[in-house]
Amino acid sequence: MEYGIGGTIAAISTAAGEAGIGIVRLSGPDAIGITGRMFRGPRGGGLPANSHSVVYGHVVDPRSGEIIDEVLVTVFRAPRSYTREDVVEIGCHGGLAAVRGVLQAALRAGARAALPGEFTARAFLNGRLDLSQAEAVLDLVRSKTGRAAAAALAQLQGGLSGKVRRVREDLLDVVAWIEAGIDFPDEVGDPPGDELAKQIGAAALEIGRLLNSAGSGRILREGIRVALAGRPNVGKSSLMNALLRMERAIVTDVPGTTRDTIEEGANILGFPVTLVDMAGLRDTRDAVEAAGVARARGEIEAADVVVIVLDDSAGLGDEDRRAIDNARRAPGVRVVAVNKVDLGAGALARVDLEGLCGASRAVRVSARTGENIGALEEAIVAAAGGTGSSGGSLAQVVVTNARHAAALERAAAALDEAESGVKSGLPVDLASTALRDAVDALGEITGDTAGEEIIDRIFREFCVGK
Ligand code: GDP
């Protein structure tokens, strides 16, 4: 295991860049001693004796004594800290030079540079968080919409682990019951089959409920990539603006607006969405434009949902049919937006567009008036496998992580095997083996049975300082 090496670690815990304040964090048995060697309080005072208290002072170079920055230092004594070790947070000025200077001083005073996610890894290894809670820390930091953040917070607070643990413990009881019967056939005997089937069925039901949330959950965490496809002038850019304006919240940074594709982050019904509009595909005889067309194809290929935009005032032309053909070749789910219905032309009103485009839905909209944009949003979210209704409580437990969903699937399959074995009167020790598989799969979610490799892989995804 990469994590779990001891020592006192230090890292910059705030984002790089110009900011009012920055924080350098230390954790480990010598965190307080190391900070003491680089800190000067007012009138030469030292660090506070009490846990959870803050003191003002200066960080100095532990060798030269030169002042590096003016700081506030917070001391958290073990075990009442994020990692359950002694933790010190040094709040300094937010510029790169200041935070790097403070980190440098900590390293000179005896700390080691932390690995990515090592603070959270220690919280996990010291039993303060289980694995799914540790993963939620990363999800929360990365959340781009309120709904995604709420799901991560519920997971951090143990919502998912609590449910998984309860099912796992119930199954362990069943296993113990079966095994007692095997070990003591005369005193205990085999549990009655119908009672076993009932208990296994109850566990399977709970796991099924969690798995039901995984469709929405996955896209809450990973987002939906939506490409707008269609010939020039059908209103793709206008539609993109209408979708952006609906929520007024541009939640992701814009990773480069190129000549021929425009990408914007949007919040659609609480789901983080990347909208991609392919502009400037007019003259395909031009070599540069040909490259643009190739890129647009790539974007359509990469999208989870392709919105085929058509113009209700113009009907279907050759260019529209070409756009539809292109979209049909891509793996994403298709939705049709029949735009410009405000003009009342109705040229596409009687065409079976779902059939023609192989689309999950066709929605008649107007980018100009905003008519039916809400229905288009719902169609996009549903096509990506989510439920648009925001009726559910935000604090609801949702399975957002593909690793958790895969473990739940394995547990469900094992329970299925156990249940059908019991019902068809197979020897109960077979059921007990399948139940143990289910117990192990559930334990991977909380980390009770996760191997070192899984653990390393999870924490390596974090950035330094988390
Ligand atoms: P794109 O080339 O597909 O991106 O299309 P644009 O968004 O640039 O729109 C092309 C033209 O159609 C512009 O003149 C828009 O004002 C107009 N347009 C777009 N959407 C609508 C709509 O819903 N109703 C009407 N009446 N005009 C629209």
Side-chain angles (χ1 to χ4, degrees):
M1 171 160 341
E2 285 170 31
Y3 297 89
I5 339 157
T8 296
I9 53 173
I12 300 167
S13 282
T14 40
E18 284 179 27
I21 59 168
I23 292 176
V24 171
R25 179 159 61 172
L26 291 90
S27 177
D30 200 23
I32 294 170
I34 289 171
T35 310
R37 292 198 276 283
M38 56 188 275
F39 176 78
R40 298 284 171 274
R43 290 175 295 280
L47 291 170
N50 296 335
S51 186
H52 295 73
S53 51
V54 186
V55 64
Y56 165 86
H58 289 90
V59 160
V60 299
D61 185 311
R63 290 176 200 163
S64 65
E66 188 192 337
I67 289 182
I68 293 171
D69 199 5
E70 192 181 13
V71 297
L72 286 175
V73 175
T74 315
V75 173
F76 305 87
R77 288 183 192 269
R80 289 175 54 218
S81 74
Y82 183 61
T83 59
R84 285 207 172 151
E85 303 173 326
D86 282 345
V87 168
V88 177
E89 287 182 5
I90 304 174
C92 59
H93 288 99
L96 263 188
V99 285
R100 281 190 185 150
V102 171
L103 175 63
Q104 198 55 249
L107 299 179
R108 283 193 182 151
R112 148 171 91 70
L115 299 170
E118 197 168 3
F119 291 94
T120 308
R122 287 184 174 199
F124 164 66
L125 293 169
N126 294 329
R128 193 168 104 56
L129 299 173
D130 70 28
L131 203 50
S132 81
Q133 289 176 309
E135 289 171 294
V137 172
L138 182 61
D139 291 347
L140 190 55
V141 169
R142 289 189 179 161
S143 294
K144 296 205 168 61
T145 68
R147 192 166 167 179
L153 193 61
Q155 187 178 320
L156 175 59
Q157 288 171 342
L160 176 66
S161 331
K163 283 184 194 274
V164 168
R165 274 227 172 84
R166 268 193 298 281
V167 177
R168 187 167 179 265
E169 273 155 24
D170 288 348
L171 290 174
L172 278 171
D173 286 345
V174 177
V175 171
W177 193 20
I178 296 176
E179 290 179 355
I182 295 170
D183 292 342
F184 307 100
D186 300 330
E187 296 88 332
V188 182
D190 281 350
D194 53 348
E195 182 57 28
L196 271 187
K198 197 175 114 201
Q199 297 208 10
I200 296 170
L205 193 69
E206 185 61 33
I207 289 175
R209 264 195 215 119
L210 288 172
L211 275 172
N212 274 340
S213 71
S216 285
R218 184 186 60 82
I219 57 176
L220 264 184
R221 182 165 179 270
E222 293 172 14
I224 312 172
R225 203 171 170 83
V226 177
L228 298 169
R231 66 160 168 82
N233 257 330
V234 287
K236 295 184 298 298
S237 310
S238 310
L239 214 46
M240 177 146 164
N241 286 334
L243 289 167
L244 292 172
R245 225 174 295 127
M246 280 295 281
E247 295 293 338
R248 285 172 210 276
I250 298 181
V251 286
T252 60
D253 26 341
V254 183
T257 301
T258 67
R259 215 175 88 93
D260 36 37
T261 60
I262 297 168
E263 215 176 281
E264 296 274 8
N267 174 343
I268 294 188
L269 304 174
F271 292 95
V273 172
T274 305
L275 290 170
V276 188
D277 176 23
M278 284 140 301
L281 301 184
R282 274 151 226 259
D283 182 8
T284 43
R285 272 162 297 191
D286 177 338
V288 179
E289 287 296 339
V293 171
R295 182 176 325 196
R297 290 234 170 87
E299 286 295 349
I300 291 177
E301 292 282 323
D304 303 306
V305 177
V306 181
V307 177
I308 301 174
V309 186
L310 301 171
D311 181 343
D312 190 52
S313 67
L316 280 178
D318 287 347
E319 276 188 298
D320 292 309
R321 291 182 191 278
R322 264 202 300 281
I324 293 170
D325 279 348
N326 269 335
R328 288 201 72 140
R329 275 197 288 272
V333 181
R334 287 168 294 276
V335 167
V336 181
V338 180
N339 191 31
K340 308 195 191 181
V341 296
D342 56 292
L343 294 175
L348 294 170
R350 270 181 270 294
V351 184
D352 169 22
L353 293 169
E354 275 110 336
L356 183 71
C357 302
S360 63
R361 262 190 79 188
V363 186
R364 295 176 57 78
V365 299
S366 167
R368 177 158 294 168
T369 65
E371 181 182 343
N372 262 346
I373 298 293
L376 180 62
E377 293 187 313
E378 273 169 29
I380 291 171
V381 168
T387 42
S389 74
S390 40
S393 147
L394 276 183
Q396 214 171 346
V397 173
V398 177
V399 177
T400 58
N401 188 311
R403 188 183 81 80
H404 303 165
L408 288 168
E409 301 269 10
R410 262 182 289 128
L415 289 184
D416 207 37
E417 189 188 325
E419 196 176 357
S420 57
V422 167
K423 282 185 175 158
S424 56
L426 291 179
V428 284
D429 54 336
L430 291 179
S432 135
T433 308
L435 290 177
R436 279 209 176 274
D437 289 345
V439 165
D440 284 349
L442 295 177
E444 280 179 23
I445 296 173
T446 51
D448 291 301
T449 54
E452 288 182 6
E453 198 189 317
I454 296 180
I455 292 167
D456 282 351
R457 193 166 353 112
I458 287 168
F459 288 108
R460 241 181 275 133
E461 255 193 68
F462 279 59
C463 34
V464 173
K466 302 268 157 29

